[in-house]
Amino acid sequence: MTGLKPLTLTGVDTHAHIFRQDLPMAADRRYSPHYDAQVEQFLDHLDRNGLSHGVLIQPSFLGTDNRFMLDALRRYPQRLRGVAVVDADISETQLDELAEAGVVGVRLNLIGKPLTDYRGPVWQALFKRLAVRGWQVEIQRGIEDLALIVPSILESGVQLVIDHFGLPTGGIDAEKPNHRAFLDVLADPRVWLKLSAPYRSRSSLAHASQVLAQVREASGGIERFLWGSDWPNTQFEDQTDYDRQLAFIEALLPDARERAQVLMNNPAKLFGFDVSR
């Protein structure tokens, strides 16, 4: 294996994807990559920017076939954790296999999909099993619908991570009931928020700063905020890159102590980077 020597935590990128264009693709995918994004490229970005650790997020176009990500996790167990895509009826043996490789959560990418009743017995059983393991559920959905989904998942007791600022295209308007409900959800101590991919909600630095002020107030601070590069920025490769996303979070959080909280302290707690594998 590579990288078995314990690493000093200097920063965590909690949202990146790896894939090859020749891998089997999900039949219902919305996007097909025309290039490869290898784990070594991701690690090069971390190294160049003085970041020690990363979290690989299974891309939706690979569906529930997590093998490519699991291989990377096994090769770099000290540096990486993973968030997988699974079927609701996944077995305990399969979850054990994911855990052995370094998976610590399950992702629900709900962009472009009909809403599901996550209070149903099959989903609730899965969420409860994840909660027992100390895992998280990560969700990507636009701000208009998040408060319709998140509370039912939280009923299971599992921790929940919301992607990409909650995708607040046009900003957060607290006068809108759905936006107000989203802010209310952030007060729950089990809910985390990724300050990532502002371009996916067409947010400039000024817009993101305003959103940050709103979600900071709603969350009671920044202790449950995370950062991710969203590398390799699929579908937006011509608009941004790794360096620009890192520069964005540095501009959004100009205070070095707050950046350390979001890039180091928070992800170490959520993803277990302070625990050797």
Side-chain angles (χ1 to χ4, degrees):
M1 287 189 180
T2 303
L4 291 179
K5 183 180 179 181
L7 294 174
T8 300
L9 185 71
T10 59
V12 183
D13 180 346
T14 71
H15 199 104
H17 308 286
I18 61 168
F19 49 83
R20 288 200 324 262
Q21 56 188 316
D22 64 345
L23 291 172
M25 300 282 164
D28 62 348
R29 65 189 181 278
R30 296 174 293 108
Y31 167 82
S32 299
H34 59 277
Y35 59 91
D36 297 342
Q38 303 277 9
V39 66
E40 288 78 15
Q41 295 171 268
F42 174 55
L43 293 176
D44 284 344
H45 283 301
L46 297 184
D47 292 340
R48 260 192 323 106
N49 291 285
L51 303 174
S52 55
H53 296 78
V55 181
L56 300 179
I57 311 298
Q58 171 77 347
S60 60
F61 50 80
L62 294 183
T64 60
D65 185 349
N66 297 283
R67 289 175 296 175
F68 188 67
M69 181 183 71
L70 296 182
D71 176 69
L73 296 178
R74 292 186 177 111
R75 285 190 285 130
Y76 300 97
Q78 295 296 314
R79 301 196 70 177
L80 300 176
R81 297 287 187 270
V83 175
V85 173
V86 305
D87 292 319
D89 59 355
I90 186 172
S91 70
E92 285 300 301
T93 299
Q94 291 171 310
L95 287 176
D96 287 342
E97 179 184 0
L98 296 177
E100 176 275 330
V103 169
V104 294
V106 165
R107 189 187 198 206
L108 301 175
N109 185 342
L110 305 180
I111 300 299
K113 295 184 178 181
L115 293 181
T116 297
D117 182 6
Y118 289 111
R119 289 188 175 90
V122 176
W123 281 108
Q124 281 295 306
L126 172 62
F127 298 147
K128 289 175 182 177
R129 288 191 287 152
L130 301 182
V132 169
R133 291 173 177 267
W135 285 19
Q136 62 189 257
V137 173
E138 180 173 315
I139 184 170
Q140 181 177 203
R141 184 77 179 195
I143 189 173
E144 301 292 340
D145 296 327
L146 280 169
L148 304 176
I149 304 165
V150 170
S152 58
I153 298 176
L154 291 176
E155 286 178 8
S156 67
V158 75
Q159 295 196 90
L160 188 141
V161 180
I162 296 173
D163 280 349
H164 308 333
F165 290 88
L167 294 175
T169 300
I172 299 176
D173 182 353
E175 298 301 314
K176 293 183 178 179
N178 286 10
H179 291 209
R180 180 71 258 169
F182 165 71
L183 292 174
D184 291 341
V185 158
L186 295 179
D188 192 300
R190 295 165 296 177
V191 176
W192 301 67
L193 181 68
K194 286 188 179 180
L195 309 180
S196 55
Y199 48 87
R200 295 195 185 275
S201 52
R202 299 196 292 275
S203 294
S204 65
L205 179 59
H207 290 146
S209 296
Q210 182 176 359
V211 168
L212 176 60
Q214 292 169 294
V215 297
R216 181 199 295 256
E217 180 180 4
S219 301
I222 62 169
E223 288 72 20
R224 287 177 280 112
F225 292 171
L226 308 160
W227 172 76
S229 64
D230 195 32
W231 184 83
N233 319 110
T234 54
Q235 302 183 69
F236 291 86
E237 299 92 342
D238 60 340
Q239 299 180 30
T240 191
D241 56 27
Y242 199 98
D243 291 349
R244 279 183 273 188
Q245 288 309 299
L246 188 59
F248 192 97
I249 194 63
E250 290 172 345
L252 187 65
L253 296 173
D255 185 288
R257 291 170 298 179
E258 291 195 342
R259 282 201 310 277
Q261 181 77 45
V262 172
L263 270 67
M264 295 173 59
N265 301 346
N266 297 349
K269 178 180 178 181
L270 181 63
F271 293 99
F273 281 118
D274 52 348
V275 178
S276 296
R277 288 187 51 77

